Amino acid sequence: FGSVERSIYTLYTAITGGRNWAEVVGGLSEIDEMHVCAFIAFISFSFLGVLNIVTSVFVECAMQSTQRHRDILVEDKKLFEQGRLQHMKAIFQLVDREDSGVV
């Protein structure tokens, strides 16, 4: 560890997978057990933070996709109903041969 810069580098390599956590914990346990607890807390906080961000991105994308899908379904239903209405009007116009407006 030795300096702040080396400590930051060690934390960075521990998070990015460049260094095994057991190596870091082994070195820290020689110094003080409290440092081991702080390291574990740092790793846990970092991973939970990243996991939370990744999860929120996926959830947001899924919600947007669902909303678009719902909007498309509503629009399709509207078009279908309008088509039915036009079809029914055409049928009634065929039945009303005298154009009286009465069937």
Side-chain angles (χ1 to χ4, degrees):
F1 298 95
S3 68
V4 173
E5 292 83 15
R6 287 188 61 182
S7 297
I8 291 172
Y9 177 72
T10 301
L11 291 174
Y12 174 76
T13 56
I15 284 187
T16 58
R19 195 162 196 187
N20 190 347
W21 296 349
E23 294 174 13
V24 177
V25 169
L28 286 173
S29 65
E30 293 175 11
I31 298 171
D32 186 14
E33 291 298 321
M34 194 60 168
H35 288 44
V36 173
C37 292
F39 176 74
I40 291 171
F42 171 76
I43 294 294
S44 299
F45 179 76
S46 299
F47 269 109
L48 290 176
V50 169
L51 186 61
N52 189 21
I53 291 169
V54 170
T55 302
S56 67
V57 167
F58 281 119
V59 167
E60 181 65 27
C61 288
M63 288 178 68
Q64 287 177 358
S65 176
T66 302
Q67 183 60 41
R68 279 193 298 255
H69 184 66
R70 186 177 300 135
D71 292 344
I72 290 170
L73 288 175
V74 167
E75 188 64 31
D76 284 348
K77 184 161 177 111
K78 265 189 200 177
L79 291 173
F80 179 73
E81 292 298 325
Q82 287 174 355
R84 282 173 107 182
L85 182 63
Q86 293 299 325
H87 184 69
M88 292 299 291
K89 283 182 181 179
I91 290 173
F92 284 121
Q93 285 173 351
L94 286 174
V95 173
D96 184 19
R97 293 185 190 255
E98 293 102 29
D99 273 339
S100 64
V102 179
V103 179

